[in-house]
Amino acid sequence: MQDTVLTMRGIYKSFPGVRALQNVDFTLCEGEIHALMGENGAGKSTLIKVLTGVYSKNAGEICIKGINKPHIKSPQEAQKLGISTVYQEITLCPNLTVAENLFIGRTNNLFVNWKKRNSRAECILQGLGIPAKPAQQLSSCSIAVQQMVAIARAVDMDCKVLILDEPTSSLDDQEVAKLFALMRELKSRGVGIVFVTHFLEQVYEVCDKITVLRNGELVGEYQIKDLPRVELVAKMMGKELGDLAEIHNKTQSNTNDSKEVIIETEGLSSTSGIKPFDFTAYKGEVTGFAGLLGSGRSECVRAIFGADKVTNGTLRIKGEHVNITTPIKAMKKGIGYLSEDRKRDGIIGDLSVRENIILALQVMRGFFKPFTKAQAQAFADEYISLLGIKTASADTPISSLSGGNQQKVILARWLLTHPNYLILDEPTRGIDIGTKVEIQKLVLKLASEGMSITFISSEIEEMLRTCSRLIVMRDLYVVGELKDEDMTQDKIMYTIAGGETQNVQKQ
Amino acid sequence: GGNSAGSEDSEASAEPSAITVGVVQTNANESDWRTANTKSFNEAFSAAGYETKMVFGEGDHAKQISQAQQLIQEEVDYLVVLGLQSAGWEDVAKSAQEAGIPFIMADRKLDLSEDLYTAMVCSDFEAEGKKAVDWLKAQAIDDCKIVVLGGDTGSSAQLGRSKAIEDGASANGWDIVFNQNMKGWDETLAKQAVADLIASGKEFNVVYAENDNMARGACDAMDAAGITYGKDGDVTVIAFDANKWALEKVLAGEFNLDVECNPLHGPRIVKLINSLEAGETVEKNAYVDEEMFDCDTITQAIVDARTY
Amino acid sequence: MSRNNNNLNSNRSALVLKELIRHRLFIPIAFLAFLLLINVFINPGFLGVSLGRDSSGNPVLIGNLINILNNAAELVILAIGMTLVTASSRGQDISVGATVAIAGGVIMRVLCGNETQPTELHAPIIVALLLGCLAGMACGAFNGILVSKFNIQPMVATLILFTAGRSIGSMAMGGLKPKAAAEFGYYGNFIPGFPIPTPILITIVVVAVTFLALKITNLSLYTRAVGINDKSSSLNGLNPALIKFLTFVILGLCVGIAGFVQASRVQTVNPYTIVPGIEMDVILAVALGGNSLSGGKFNMTGSIIGAYTIQTLTSMLTTLNVNTNAVPVFKAVIIIMLVVIQSPIVKSFLGNKFTVLKSTVGDGKERG
Amino acid sequence: MSILHNVQDTGRIEVIQNKLKRENSLTDTAFLLTITISLFIAIYALSIVFLGDKGFSKIQMFFNLFNENAALIVIACGLSIVMITGSIDISVGGSTALICTACIVCLNNYGFNFFTSLMLALAIGLTFGVVQGFLVAYLEIQPFIVTLAGMFLGRGLVALIEVNQIQVKNAGFEMLSGARILIPFLGDINKKGVFIQSKLEYGVIVAIIIVCLMYWLLRKTSLGRSFYAVGGNPQSALMLGINVKRTKFYAHLLCGLLAGIGGFLYLFHTRSGSVQQATGLEMDAIAASIIGGTLLTGGVGNIFGTLFGVLASGTVLLIVTAIGSQDPWWPQITRAAMLCFFIVLQSFICSRKK
Ligand SMILES: Nc1ncnc2c1ncn2[C@@H]1O[C@H](COP(=O)(O)OP(=O)(O)OP(=O)(O)O)[C@@H](O)[C@H]1O
Ligand SMILES: Nc1ncnc2c1ncn2[C@@H]1O[C@H](COP(=O)(O)OP(=O)(O)OP(=O)(O)O)[C@@H](O)[C@H]1O
Ligand SMILES: [Mg+2]
Ligand SMILES: [Mg+2]
């Protein structure tokens, strides 16, 4: 019924020590939205990068719209062949303006007409409802806007194949809805879309077909209607999915735990602009911060950790008043913080997995007390097996791990410090469903062992499952606190939309 | 006519203001010679009641040119130039001429046609070198193997002195075993070079160092290797500049010969300016008189008489 | 059975060879060896070391190899500091030559006061050394503050002292050019009665202390972490600014020691010409040792080998009587050769060739 | 793109629009440019007020600023371009020295004329650019090391060609380089009462044309914009479909070409050549670019900024010379202090903006 626009046959790709792709086939038809699914490190991004010429494949054939074995050596050539791509990590130039990011590298024109370019950009931005000015420098936009700009760029191109590698990871629901509307529109015009995401609902909302990869190998291609969720997850993981309900039950039991206060803030505010907030975390409890994108969730926890300069307010740990000015002080007081932007604030790219794991503990131990290699290796081995980190060895640089595995390494780093209070800011972003569940289980297990945890996620269900109390935020204010039976999706939405600020409540 | 009248007027009105002399010096303390040279300008000019405006090129030829242009804009009364390079001064000389500022070259002669400069107070480096060559010839050392330690490449002192020894060697059948220019007229590199030379087993019996400091560096290296030099030693040491400490070494028999290169330009220029002010004509191309000091003939009195 | 074993052995040796060639230090070491070999070829006595006596009758070692080891002292010491600075701050300090002039100037002033030909030292040598190091560290601290606190790129920040350093050195000496008493010369030459040049001993001590420090402290981990990603580092409790600052101060200390050795060599300092152009040689040493100049990971041994390579080259060209001004041509050619074979692209290209070769050889064996 | 209009959502826009208010619409490049220009104007004005009697009140002094720096302007333009691309070129001093010596030797001994020597200069510059560009872009060797080798090569070759200082002895060339543009109605009266008309060298015109040309290139051509993109983030630039290697190659090529032109202007101005010619020119050019608001990290910079950077650092030099000093060390220290002031101020303002 439909013409195929893209076929990939027998693709092989290996990196030093890793076989990223083995004999993978992939077919995309005109006017179809095709989900590419798999766990972290399954090879999705690699397959895409092979297709767009970022990596050169070791073997295999690519055929685009009848052109057999097109010569794709660089993203530029891929663009010329009508493949436009939004990569997993935002790949725009922060020093250029929004308009330029939309158009650069796309035309063969030797000259730039700024006026035309800016007015075209204005038009596109408005059309997509992206709150940015064409002449604004990209680095002054928020991550979400940057992601939208990347999408706008890809969509604006007259393409036959559109590839979206986790475009929704930092978008909120409305933006996702906008994106989906756009995708449907393009689909109706016959564009073939490859869509990578870890949100199963999104897959079932827009996609027609699913191709599943596991460990660099093809599991199969399925029509969406033939593959119920549970089965999809099973295919991705190669085993049956653990019961989610089980997690929730545990949560409920958690709330009855002893109420020893671990962290208590009073009117804390920081240079990032967060408004003074009060917050208490108890031993063995999982708290969450909920709110829209940019509502200041990260800023709250960063202030507690001392990552931003605290301007006002007090912080008590176990009742003792402490003055935390730097992260190291927080760490010494038993606080751990897994930061939100993994690539920028989390991993240390060229260092090995081992060094990344021991880093925080090492820093706490002090400058003059390095671990011996054997000690470090023992720590690394322990956590690699505990969290099931997929890596060639502990000596592999962390940058060559897949996103999800990098996240696990960072998690290992903080678990190793055995904190009393652990902050996890979006630990599940860009992570496959299996790992997500594992992490959530881990969080609950740690909490049951007495650790106090703050868990921030953009997925409300996830928070509902794991947290026993939610702090709701809007526009840098804490606007409410929900627990027990109040913790429903509706209630949260309502609070975000209309709740009063903490300060107002007090008066 | 009008011009001279104008100048008289302004001189009359600005009677108390002293004569300013702009000096474009090369580098600050490149060697003991240069230090003495700078000092000589400063002392002589202040003694004569001139105002001195000295600028340093810091090894940058282009910078010197622009500094000279600036001094012309500033309207100094005399411009004294000690060029790092002899080439490329035409524009400056022309601007000076146009502004009516006498242009005096010192230290090394610049490549300028005679109508562009007023006078010069320069050393004849090739003649200095020739003196040393003649002296060496007179020593009648058999089988001369010479190590030439040259100064900063391309400076006229290096060029003149190197040329003299190269010509001398080819004329007299001497063997130059090593001929290198040491950056910056400095002990360290000279010492390193001679030490390397000794280590690689090259034989030599004359060291021709183009300034005192490099001669001292060479002697250090020979000391370290137990090679004797100087009056009764195996190696004859020839140095240039004749600073006071170097003359002491000549007197002690450590250097065999030191050829003078007179840095005391200050008094000469004062004399020149005075005669120009008096409206006398001056001789354009006069070289500075220079002597040489032999370890056999030098006396304590000569050393004591030296002020720098 | 035995044949099988043989096969295994040959495979293993091939593997070891391959490992060796892949090793980061292979090219720097191979190249140094190659240069030494050329030298031996030109002058068979090159590697010879003989025991001579200096003019006061003390035993001294004489030989080209000794000279290279001796003259490389400053370069090696500075390369150590520069490696750390490069790793932590992702840039280079181009002011080292100028700051050596400052340290040297301070040392001379301390030792000679305002005299030009002092017959005795005005202060104990240890005081001079300490003050020299202090001066070096002060310069390092200045650069360090600009880089870490003001976030100025290292090359730009150090451009300031690069411009002013030699003049400051001259100012420190009061415009004089004194020559210190002979006993100061022990540290740049020989200690009477001990035949090994003192700079070699100083280098050994500095290198040993460096490796010890890298072993017993977290300097290496911290510098690399900060160099690779300072944002993450700070969220892991490190203070990136402090660590960058620290590496600059360490380089300053190296500068102080280098200035001391250099001043002691001829017991005088000409601030305008002391160690001319050494900043470029030091940076080159770091690069030739297989280090990336854009920071992050580092390899100390590589830098040290790089420093000796450069000194060997310079020394070789002087003894060959190559015009000093033409020496850079040879240096340039050799640098290009070396960096081209070390470039990842060329390496992987050659590596592919190599594996193809190996696999065909291996196939042959299996069949045989 | 009709579909883009279909998807409208206004509610969300308002929420985030107040975020935008905090953000400065000026790009980093434009912002740094403004600083540089105002700084230059400020220090020149101050010098006129306080050092007027040292020649700053003269118009010719201002023109000399251009006359003396024409070559540096062109060379600094080249450096700005490679720096914007995130690379560096420290070979320009070496290639300038080589160009001077090679051209003079050819002019004096091989019957070259103005035009052929210009071609030679361009060829030398281009060769440097092409070879270095190839090594940096296609073999991915660190630019600092490649161009360090270039610097060594340039200086060394000068010594191989001619160790001595030499001067142009070619009537045609000398006549052309001696020519000046007399500016009508402008001039100064010196203290002897003589009116001296202001003069501008022809090299300045070339430099200004090149500045405009390069400004246009960087701003209005896609090549120019890819320089910025590659400098901002090479990985992203690649993904955006820019040929990163070729762009880097062109940047070095252009820098080489401009070094060729700059070297020729240098020769045109000094008419001499030597091994020591133009030592430290690369550092002057880098300093000027930086003062002009080009970041060494790449992606930010403006050619007019570079022009004003050269003028500002030239003015600093003038001020230092004008103040003068008995002690030889003060000028350099003062100069460094002013450089320090510039750099720190720039970084301070930048961090305040963030
Ligand atoms: N540049 C690289 N160098 C080495 N190994 C790499 C590189 N890029 C990816 N890999 C490896 O290839 C495998 C596949 O990675 P890829 O990024 O394609 O996974 P993914 O399916 O996109 O995962 P995620 O959902 O976490 O993004 C991983 O094991 C990863 O470690
Ligand atoms: N109303 C506002 N006014 C000004 N700035 C805001 C406002 N809301 C958010 N910001 C800024 O936007 C940026 C994004 O906020 P932040 O990262 O805290 O969001 P978040 O709630 O953690 O969301 P996410 O983690 O999903 O991105 C921050 O720099 C914050 O200061
Ligand atoms: Mg991926
Ligand atoms: Mg956040």
Side-chain angles (χ1 to χ4, degrees), chain A residues 457-475:
Chain A
S457 168
S458 305
E459 285 172 78
I460 291 193
E461 303 95 87
E462 213 173 274
M463 299 238 273
L464 290 177
R465 270 203 298 274
T466 39
C467 301
S468 52
R469 193 154 52 90
L470 280 182
I471 316 295
V472 184
M473 302 207 57
R474 169 167 34 91
D475 291 350

Side-chain angles (χ1 to χ4, degrees), chain C residues 96-106 165-166 169-170 173 269-272 274-275:
Chain C
V96 286
T99 48
V100 163
I102 298 180
V106 167
R166 291 179 183 276
S170 165
M173 294 172 74
V269 163
N270 178 349
Y272 288 97
I274 189 174
V275 288

Side-chain angles (χ1 to χ4, degrees), chain B residues 136-249:
Chain B
L136 190 58
K137 203 167 156 191
Q139 300 303 301
I141 302 169
D142 37 57
D143 196 17
C144 248
K145 290 201 175 74
I146 308 172
V147 169
V148 178
L149 301 171
D152 243 349
T153 307
S155 59
S156 32
Q158 179 267 321
L159 292 174
R161 291 170 192 167
S162 294
K163 183 167 187 299
I165 188 71
E166 279 157 18
D167 291 351
S170 59
N172 298 307
W174 296 333
D175 189 9
I176 295 186
V177 292
F178 180 86
N179 185 0
Q180 291 281 294
N181 299 333
M182 305 293 131
K183 197 169 183 238
W185 304 96
D186 214 20
E187 281 98 336
T188 325
L189 292 181
K191 181 179 174 184
Q192 243 172 48
V194 174
D196 278 344
L197 215 61
I198 295 169
S200 55
K202 283 231 178 83
E203 303 220 329
F204 57 91
N205 52 15
V206 176
V207 169
Y208 180 92
E210 290 180 4
N211 81 344
D212 289 337
N213 298 64
M214 290 195 293
R216 182 159 73 182
C219 291
D220 275 0
M222 289 190 281
D223 265 338
I227 294 176
T228 57
Y229 55 89
K231 200 166 178 177
D232 305 311
D234 298 336
V235 179
T236 306
V237 178
I238 299 172
F240 288 83
D241 288 0
N243 290 290
K244 185 171 180 143
W245 62 262
L247 290 187
E248 278 163 3
K249 281 198 183 291

Side-chain angles (χ1 to χ4, degrees), chain A residues 361-373:
Chain A
L361 187 62
Q362 180 70 80
V363 171
M364 281 170 71
R365 237 167 92 103
F367 185 71
F368 291 104
K369 289 182 195 148
F371 286 119
T372 62
K373 197 162 177 188

Side-chain angles (χ1 to χ4, degrees), chain D residues 15-332:
Chain D
V15 177
I16 313 179
Q17 225 146 35
N18 43 358
K19 267 198 218 175
L20 284 178
K21 272 186 207 145
R22 303 187 311 154
E23 286 145 6
N24 205 327
S25 61
L26 220 53
T27 58
D28 289 352
T29 297
F31 179 68
L32 286 171
L33 176 68
T34 327
I35 300 179
T36 309
I37 295 182
S38 3
L39 271 177
F40 167 69
I41 293 173
I43 59 169
Y44 204 88
L46 283 178
S47 336
I48 291 177
V49 174
F50 293 107
L51 294 167
D53 58 327
K54 305 272 189 195
F56 274 97
S57 56
K58 293 193 179 168
I59 296 163
Q60 184 61 42
M61 190 84 154
F62 185 71
F63 286 128
N64 275 356
L65 196 55
F66 286 87
N67 287 340
E68 303 295 339
N69 290 310
L72 186 58
I73 290 173
V74 175
I75 289 169
C77 281
L79 259 157
S80 294
I81 291 173
V82 281
M83 279 161 73
I84 285 169
T85 321
S87 187
I88 189 125
D89 187 345
I90 56 170
S91 75
V92 290
S95 56
T96 299
L98 180 60
I99 286 167
C100 289
T101 302
C103 286
I104 295 176
V105 166
C106 290
L107 279 166
N108 292 0
N109 307 339
Y110 300 104
F112 274 43
N113 58 22
F114 174 84
F115 184 72
T116 43
S117 61
L118 173 63
M119 287 300 123
L120 178 66
L122 293 186
I124 292 173
L126 219 68
T127 313
F128 268 80
V130 168
V131 174
Q132 291 177 163
F134 175 77
L135 291 174
V136 170
Y138 291 101
L139 294 191
E140 290 174 14
I141 304 174
Q142 302 168 1
F144 191 91
I145 293 300
V146 169
T147 55
L148 181 64
M151 167 174 140
F152 283 163
L153 194 73
R155 292 234 169 263
L157 283 178
V158 174
L160 288 185
I161 295 174
E162 175 64 70
V163 183
N164 297 339
Q165 297 167 0
I166 43 177
Q167 188 159 14
V168 178
K169 297 267 185 288
N170 179 303
F173 188 93
E174 284 179 79
M175 195 195 73
L176 278 172
S177 82
R180 295 284 180 279
I181 306 163
L182 292 174
I183 297 162
F185 315 119
L186 278 182
D188 309 291
I189 297 166
N190 74 3
K191 69 181 173 194
K192 291 179 183 148
V194 184
F195 178 82
I196 300 175
Q197 202 170 11
S198 296
K199 299 180 204 68
L200 207 55
E201 290 181 20
Y202 280 95
V204 178
I205 307 295
V206 177
I208 298 295
I209 291 175
I210 286 191
V211 166
C212 296
L213 216 63
M214 288 304 129
Y215 176 80
W216 172 82
L217 180 106
L218 282 183
R219 180 109 189 116
K220 294 282 165 77
T221 67
S222 42
L223 180 66
R225 298 321 290 172
S226 18
F227 289 152
Y228 283 90
V230 169
N233 186 343
Q235 196 61 35
S236 298
L238 180 75
M239 307 277 199
L240 289 177
I242 289 167
N243 191 333
V244 173
K245 291 184 177 182
R246 195 162 62 199
T247 309
K248 275 196 180 163
F249 176 74
Y250 280 145
H252 276 274
L253 186 145
L254 212 61
C255 179
L257 187 66
L258 290 180
I261 299 172
F264 191 76
L265 288 182
Y266 201 93
L267 172 68
F268 201 62
H269 180 63
T270 62
R271 269 175 270 168
S272 66
S274 80
V275 178
Q276 311 275 357
Q277 191 89 325
T279 27
L281 186 72
E282 56 280 339
M283 286 304 160
D284 289 345
I286 290 171
S289 286
I290 288 162
I291 292 174
T294 310
L295 295 188
L296 210 53
T297 40
V300 177
N302 185 299
I303 288 295
F304 280 122
T306 305
L307 170 66
F308 281 96
V310 173
L311 296 181
S313 61
T315 311
V316 168
L317 209 64
L318 290 180
I319 294 172
V320 167
T321 308
I323 294 170
S325 156
Q326 288 293 312
D327 294 325
W329 46 81
W330 285 120
Q332 276 305 82

Side-chain angles (χ1 to χ4, degrees), chain A residues 15-16 18-20 38-47 55 88 165-166 198 390 399-405 430-432:
Chain A
F15 294 107
V18 196
R19 284 224 135 177
E39 294 191 81
N40 295 125
K44 306 176 294 290
S45 302
T46 308
L47 184 68
Y55 297 147
Q88 185 172 9
D165 192 355
E166 294 197 33
H198 288 297
K390 278 189 207 126
S399 51
S400 58
L401 264 56
S402 83
N405 282 307
I431 283 193
D432 66 66

Side-chain angles (χ1 to χ4, degrees), chain A residues 294-368:
Chain A
S295 56
R297 296 167 296 180
S298 305
E299 275 70 9
C300 279
V301 288
R302 283 176 68 92
I304 295 174
F305 188 65
D308 294 328
K309 200 162 165 263
V310 174
T311 48
N312 253 320
T314 56
L315 175 67
R316 277 189 294 276
I317 297 179
K318 292 189 176 165
E320 176 200 354
H321 180 270
V322 290
N323 188 11
I324 287 178
T325 46
T326 54
I328 183 74
K329 286 194 180 154
M331 285 159 66
K332 291 233 165 99
K333 293 283 174 199
I335 305 181
Y337 170 58
L338 186 142
S339 55
E340 163 184 43
D341 190 337
R342 175 176 63 231
K343 199 171 160 197
R344 223 186 55 194
D345 300 334
I347 65 167
I348 301 199
D350 278 345
L351 287 192
S352 65
V353 169
R354 173 173 9 99
E355 285 166 315
N356 266 290
I357 289 179
I358 62 157
L359 185 64
L361 187 62
Q362 180 70 80
V363 171
M364 281 170 71
R365 237 167 92 103
F367 185 71
F368 291 104

